Each structure stands twice: as C-alpha cells, then as structure tokens.
C-alpha cells in the first residue's frame, strides 16, 4: 500500500497518524461461510480483492464518467478512462435529474451493484436470503473532496440496521491520495459511537453532520487500527451500518469514482424509499448527484450530495427552511 503519511483527511495531512494505519485485511474470494463470519465478527468488515470482473467495473466507470463529461467535469482532451478532472462544471445549467437517470441506466453499473457474488457473501454474513436495494449512491469526487467520519445507520432508517449491509465498490484503481475508503477496525462494537451518533436520524436531528472531521483522538481502547489500502478495480468492501468510516481527500487531478450500495435480508421490512420502482432515497424532492468540486470541504450537513431541482430538472437554491 502506498504510504498514507502524505495523504489528507478533511484537509489535514495524515502525517504522524500514519503509525496508527494498517492495510485492510484481505479475505479470499472463495472463503467459506465460517471464515466470512469470523472475519466480520472480529473486524466489522470483509474486504475481497477481485470479487468482481475488472472489465465490468471499467465499463461502469466509463458510463458514469461519460455523463460527468457532458457536465464539463471531465477533461475530454484525455482518454475518458483516465477520468482526468477539468476543474470546472456546467451542472448549474444541466438537468441533473436526467443526468442521474442516465447514470442509473448503465447496464454495467447495475450488474456491479447487483452482483451475485456480492449477494453470496452478504447472504453468508446475514445468514439467509438477501436482496439488493434499488436506490444506489454513485459518486465522482474531485480534488479536495473527501468524507468525514460517520456511521451509515443515521442515513438509512427503515429495516433494522442489523439486517442491512453497506457495500463500497471502487470503480477504478484508487490509492490513498485519490481518496480511498478508511475505516476504524472493530468500531462497529463501540457503544460510544452508537449512542453519540448511530442512534441519530439524519433527517430529523437539527444540524446533523459528520461524527468527526479528524482522525486523532477518535480511537477507543477496543478499536483500531485505522485501515485503508490501494484499491483496484474488482475489489469490494462490505461492512455493517455501525462501522465508523470516511474517505481520505482526493489530492490528485484525477476523479475518484465509486458506488455505494446496500443489501438487506429478504425477510426484513421493505422501505419504499430504498426498494421498488419509486425508490427515490431520503429526499423525494431532491436528486442525489454529489458535486465533484465542493467548496464545503467538511460537507457539514452533507449539502453537496443532494440537489434541490426546479421543474426543468436544473439545480435551484434550497428553500429557506433547508438552509
């Protein structure tokens, strides 16, 4: 793994904190149920190299980048596959509702998030039949963008959190300087994080934001180390909704492309926000299409991820009640 000491998190160099980092533990793609459950029970995640076809992932990546190129966010003087950032955007004049729909129509992307191999791993972890959510979170992050520390539970109200798994899939080769996923080993069992953050409701709690915007001072005695790696196309990270995680900053001139998806036990409650033909996520009146270039580095309140839109699908200012 490339050294993380020169990488950044929420605008701060990792520096000496790198001594608290170790590479993600790899679980073989052919691991049996007992091994998968043992790894997940101890560490709170399962990281599988090459679980997906790199060619399939590459096609999903290029489908997403082609839409962002139309928005002027990809420098088309270079091969699309490179994902070189243009450092500008025309999305203020674009129908972002149509742009998201175009991304979701990618057959390759849908095959990635509905992969039978992912389903088999999650089925073993949840001890029963599982199904993917229809709502997914494709992300393209430019220079300066990252994600603060958080758990997924506050954002995903509906079925019991123990019946749901998060999946982070890098759609490209992503090293620590391009903004890879970072997580705190064992943090899913830390009661402090659950009571201070995991029980909150992102839609109901005023001033909701990240749990923290720095890594130092966060670790508990029973948790750690921090883990990340240099990700490759085909890799998959699976973790529960109480895993404390975030993303390193992208400090490069190349766009970081990934997709978040969720799976749940088939017998768990079905929330129409997440599953079904009308699955529109947490905000039926907004469109999830994260800004590639954001001036809100810490993304307080996660403002850059959901767009208020007008009748023509173009972004508009948020109503006063949402500011």
């Amino acid at each position: 793994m490339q050294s993380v000491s020169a990488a950044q998190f929420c605008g701060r160099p990792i520096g000496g904190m790198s001594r608290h980092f170790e590479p993600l533990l790899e679980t073989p793609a052919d691991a049996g149920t007992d091994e998968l459950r043992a790894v997940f029970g101890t560490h709170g995640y399962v990281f599988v190299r090459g679980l997906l076809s790199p060619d399939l992932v590459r096609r999903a990546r290029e489908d997403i980048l082609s839409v962002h190129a139309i928005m002027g966010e990809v420098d088309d003087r270079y091969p699309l596959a490179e994902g070189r950032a243009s450092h500008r955007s025309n999305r203020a004049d674009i129908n972002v509702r149509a742009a998201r729909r175009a991304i979701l129509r990618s057959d390759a992307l849908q095959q990635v998030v509905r992969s039978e191999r992912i389903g088999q791993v999650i089925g073993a972890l949840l001890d029963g039949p599982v199904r993917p959510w229809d709502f997914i979170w494709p992300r393209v992050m430019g220079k300066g963008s990252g994600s603060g520390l958080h758990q997924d539970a506050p954002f995903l109200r509906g079925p019991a959190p123990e019946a749901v798994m998060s999946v982070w899939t890098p759609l490209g080769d992503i090293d620590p300087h391009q903004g890879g996923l970072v997580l705190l080993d064992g943090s899913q069992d830390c009661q402090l994080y659950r009571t201070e953050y995991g029980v909150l409701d992102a839609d109901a709690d005023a001033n909701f934001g990240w749990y923290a915007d720095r890594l130092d001072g966060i670790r508990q005695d029973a948790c750690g180390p921090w883990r990340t790696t240099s990700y490759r196309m085909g890799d998959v990270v699976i973790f529960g909704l109480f895993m404390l995680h975030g993303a390193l900053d992208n400090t490069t001139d190349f766009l970081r492309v990934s997709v978040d998806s969720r799976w749940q036990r088939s017998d768990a409650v079905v929330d129409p926000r997440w599953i079904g033909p009308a699955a529109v996520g947490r905000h039926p009146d907004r469109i999830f299409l994260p800004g590639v270039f954001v001036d809100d580095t810490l993304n307080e309140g996660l403002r850059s991820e959901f767009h208020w839109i007008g009748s023509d699908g173009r972004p508009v200012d948020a109503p006063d009640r949402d500011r």
Side-chain angles (χ1 to χ4, degrees):
M1 178 180 71
Q2 188 173 354
S3 172
V4 300
S5 61
Q8 294 185 9
F9 182 79
C10 287
R12 300 180 181 89
I14 299 295
M17 275 293 296
S18 62
R19 67 181 182 275
H20 298 298
F21 273 78
E22 293 184 15
L24 282 170
L25 298 174
E26 299 180 19
T27 300
D30 59 355
T33 297
D34 290 345
E35 181 177 0
L36 289 169
R37 292 179 182 172
V39 170
F40 185 81
T42 300
H43 302 284
Y45 70 91
V46 171
F47 170 50
V48 185
R49 288 271 192 206
L51 186 66
L52 304 176
S53 160
D55 181 64
L56 178 65
V57 172
R58 184 177 297 105
R59 286 191 282 121
R61 168 186 174 83
E62 293 188 10
D63 285 347
I64 293 173
L65 285 173
S66 66
V67 176
H68 284 269
I70 293 172
M71 292 189 284
E73 296 169 349
V74 180
D75 191 334
D76 60 6
R77 295 174 300 175
Y78 300 89
L80 179 66
E82 287 188 9
R84 191 180 292 261
S86 67
H87 303 291
R88 60 183 177 81
S89 177
N90 302 325
R91 72 168 60 198
D93 299 316
I94 292 290
N95 183 330
V96 295
R97 178 174 53 211
R100 176 171 168 86
R101 288 173 178 170
I103 289 173
L104 298 183
R105 280 197 295 270
S106 165
D107 180 65
L109 178 61
Q110 292 296 334
Q111 288 185 59
V112 165
V113 298
R114 298 173 183 276
S115 164
E116 182 178 349
R117 301 195 74 186
I118 292 177
Q120 290 171 346
V121 173
I122 295 178
L125 296 176
L126 292 180
D127 192 24
V130 295
R131 63 185 300 178
W133 285 10
D134 295 310
F135 191 89
I136 60 175
W137 292 256
R139 301 177 189 273
V140 177
M141 301 179 73
K143 192 171 187 176
S145 298
S147 296
L149 294 176
H150 63 284
Q151 296 170 316
D152 287 343
F155 303 93
L156 304 174
R157 295 305 178 193
E162 292 77 15
V164 181
M165 289 286 180
S166 288
V167 183
W168 185 78
T169 307
L171 302 179
D173 296 340
I174 301 173
D175 65 35
H177 299 279
Q178 202 174 355
L181 182 76
V182 58
L183 52 80
L184 183 58
D185 195 309
S187 58
Q188 76 285 350
D189 293 326
C190 180
Q191 196 61 37
L192 175 66
Y193 302 142
R194 292 199 186 202
T195 56
E196 288 188 343
Y197 193 83
V199 298
L200 300 179
D201 185 329
D203 299 316
D205 292 296
N207 302 316
F208 184 85
W210 301 128
Y211 178 71
D213 61 10
R214 56 193 309 141
L215 300 175
D216 54 319
I218 297 298
R219 289 177 55 199
Q220 298 297 303
D221 290 342
C223 300
W226 292 104
R227 293 194 185 272
T228 189
T229 193
S230 291
Y231 299 95
R232 300 192 293 265
M233 283 189 282
D235 296 348
V236 171
V237 186
I238 299 168
F239 51 94
L241 301 194
F242 293 109
M243 169 59 68
L244 190 67
H245 65 285
L248 300 172
D249 297 347
N250 184 355
T251 59
T252 76
D253 291 319
F254 297 90
L255 298 171
R256 193 212 83 176
V257 188
S258 64
V259 62
D260 301 341
S261 57
R262 270 85 197 184
W263 290 65
Q264 71 174 60
R265 278 187 59 104
S266 297
D267 58 2
V269 172
V270 172
D271 190 317
R273 294 177 300 171
W274 312 123
I275 294 178
V280 293
R282 292 166 45 221
H283 301 294
D285 46 5
R286 285 182 259 179
I287 297 297
F288 180 84
L289 192 68
V292 170
F293 311 108
V294 296
D295 53 14
D296 177 16
T297 305
L298 305 184
N299 205 9
E300 294 289 339
L302 312 174
R303 289 190 294 271
S304 73
E305 296 198 328
F306 290 88
H307 294 281
W308 288 96
I309 58 170
S311 59
D312 60 359
R314 291 189 298 177
V316 297
D317 291 336
D320 290 340
R321 62 182 170 82
D322 194 61
R323 290 176 180 171

